[in-house]
Amino acid sequence: MGMENKPNKPHVLVFPFPGQGHINPMLQFAKRLLSKGVKAALVSTLYLANSSFSDSSISFSFDHHTISDGFDQGGFNQAANAETYLSTFCSVGSRSLAALIMKLGETGHPVDALVYDSLMPWALDVAKQFGVPSGAFFTQSCAVNSVYYHVWKGHLQLPLPRTRVHLPALPPLQVSELPSFVALHGLYRAWLDVLVNQFSNIDEADWVFFNHFYELETEVMDWMSKLWNVMTIGPTVPSAYLDKRLQNNKDYGMNIFDPNASACLSWLSGKPKGSVVYVSFGSIASLGTEQMAEIGWALKQRKGYFLWVVRETEKPKLPDNYIKETSNKGLVVTWCPQLEVLSHESIGCFLTHCGFNSVLEALSLGVPMLAMPQWTDQATNAKYIEDVWRVGIRARCDNKGIVKRETIEHGIKELLKEVGEKGKEIRKNLIKWKNLANKAVDAGGNSDKNIDKFIAELLSN
Ligand code: UDP
């Protein structure tokens, strides 16, 4: 690459949206850049830096800069609502990011490129003021991004008629399989605006990064590559689980909640191979009491074991005495080291909300998924899990929107190969995807080559 001959390593700021599902992939991308000789630096909000990064063990020597989102004491939860948070973040964040870029320039550390989370197109506008080349980083799937792109372009007029939609390079999608911000138009106005606005200035971005690998969404990638300088650089699962080329890269290095690591791992260590159902709905999704009860029943009724992540704020929704009554077969924790859990041989399947990171992690680690999407992009991911990648099955809801205990129980049985043939086929497919994911990030793989290409383009600027 000739990096050795360059007097200064390119200085790249990596700026994720302050949420677990955004920080994880972008931090991991920054580590890949660092491992290839780039001076990658992380930009996070003051609140996150003070609350989550302070005592975590980021095993990489990042420069870490902070900016303000306007809510330095409490972040998103300090804001009255999503609208207020997002618009304040845009105005305060723009000024704060501009001040940072200026300060770095003045102190002899000029920024050579900005990689910003696509949810914050205003970061691109800031970088342009300083002539800094920029790349948008998308943390959702290309299918999902493409749906939002068509809304932005006016090809998909909202509200949608109650039918299927046909979009270029995507399978026909039922309205219920579209991102909820689109399907349930009007319910999540502020978030829909953010996702649609990802494309407001995208034509000015020098690079467009996607957190997956080419084979996962070949058709839509080919389609998108006609529009922008697109690069798949993932999956951004830590290297220890894939190519193993990066030293000490076993986790993302930042947790918004405290993971009960030793409790989870010692509990798992005694369990038979493939016997545990892992259940998690990620960092944001919130279930109703009735739905919690159905999951609770399904897990309690089964003979096998379960590990269920129930965040502190969700705990009051558990049935009375549930933890006590199931302690012989289940462990309920408020957060866990998900990668270590998914890669543990005792895990048999994953009941998941289908957050894109969780999906990529399960797919890369070979864990069959029982898909129970809740909102945002998850229904589209669930469709792909079942029908396109064929690495899991959907647990469908009844006409009141509840996934019943029998449905969950049956899904688990299928994935654990206790009934039917689906479990077998899914496991076969998972071996294929796991290998492809590994190949993509390993030396000379698609994603690896794209990262090299990005660095080469940086050096030639
Ligand atoms: N995660 C974790 N411990 C948990 C649950 C989730 O470390 O108990 C991690 C998970 O590995 C993933 C991220 O949190 O990287 C969640 O991102 P995802 O896109 O799956 O869902 P979101 O939280 O954004 O809805």
Side-chain angles (χ1 to χ4, degrees), residues 318-352:
L318 281 170
D320 290 345
N321 287 325
Y322 186 80
I323 297 182
K324 219 166 142 200
E325 286 172 11
T326 55
S327 59
N328 60 330
K329 60 167 68 170
L331 181 68
V332 177
V333 293
T334 50
W335 196 246
C336 79
Q338 181 159 302
L339 290 161
E340 285 190 84
V341 168
L342 285 175
S343 62
H344 200 280
E345 64 164 18
S346 66
I347 298 297
C349 68
F350 181 14
L351 175 54
T352 173

Side-chain angles (χ1 to χ4, degrees), residues 260 263-265 267-268 306-309 326-327 329-333:
N260 310 261
C264 293
L265 297 171
W267 184 84
L268 283 176
F306 68 85
L307 170 59
W308 187 2
V309 178
T326 55
S327 59
K329 60 167 68 170
L331 181 68
V332 177
V333 293

Side-chain angles (χ1 to χ4, degrees), residues 20-21 24 252 280 282-283 309 335-336 338 353 355-358 361:
Q20 187 80 62
N24 285 2
Y252 294 106
S280 168
S283 62
V309 178
W335 196 246
C336 79
Q338 181 159 302
H353 71 311
F356 195 51
N357 293 291
S358 292
E361 290 161 12

Side-chain angles (χ1 to χ4, degrees), residues 274-286:
S275 68
V276 180
V277 179
Y278 170 56
V279 185
S280 168
F281 290 84
S283 62
I284 304 162
S286 165

Side-chain angles (χ1 to χ4, degrees), residues 174-284:
Q174 305 283 351
V175 171
S176 62
E177 293 167 339
L178 294 171
S180 63
F181 304 152
V182 172
L184 307 173
H185 180 241
L187 263 190
Y188 307 102
R189 209 49 246 201
W191 287 114
L192 175 67
D193 286 348
V194 164
L195 287 148
V196 171
N197 281 328
Q198 295 181 109
F199 299 98
S200 58
N201 56 4
I202 193 86
D203 294 340
E204 295 166 44
D206 299 276
W207 304 274
V208 177
F209 299 107
F210 290 106
N211 173 25
H212 61 57
F213 52 103
Y214 179 68
E215 291 83 356
L216 206 55
E217 296 194 85
T218 309
E219 255 184 280
V220 67
M221 279 310 299
D222 287 346
W223 183 83
M224 279 193 171
S225 63
K226 292 182 196 131
L227 301 174
W228 311 297
N229 184 19
V230 295
M231 292 185 173
T232 49
I233 51 78
T236 56
V237 169
S239 179
Y241 301 95
L242 291 170
D243 58 316
K244 303 184 174 60
R245 290 188 296 154
L246 271 64
Q247 298 292 309
N248 296 325
N249 183 210
K250 242 189 133 197
D251 54 24
Y252 294 106
M254 182 274 181
N255 275 294
I256 287 181
F257 307 106
D258 187 26
N260 310 261
S262 58
C264 293
L265 297 171
S266 64
W267 184 84
L268 283 176
S269 73
K271 306 292 175 286
K273 199 172 168 197
S275 68
V276 180
V277 179
Y278 170 56
V279 185
S280 168
F281 290 84
S283 62
I284 304 162

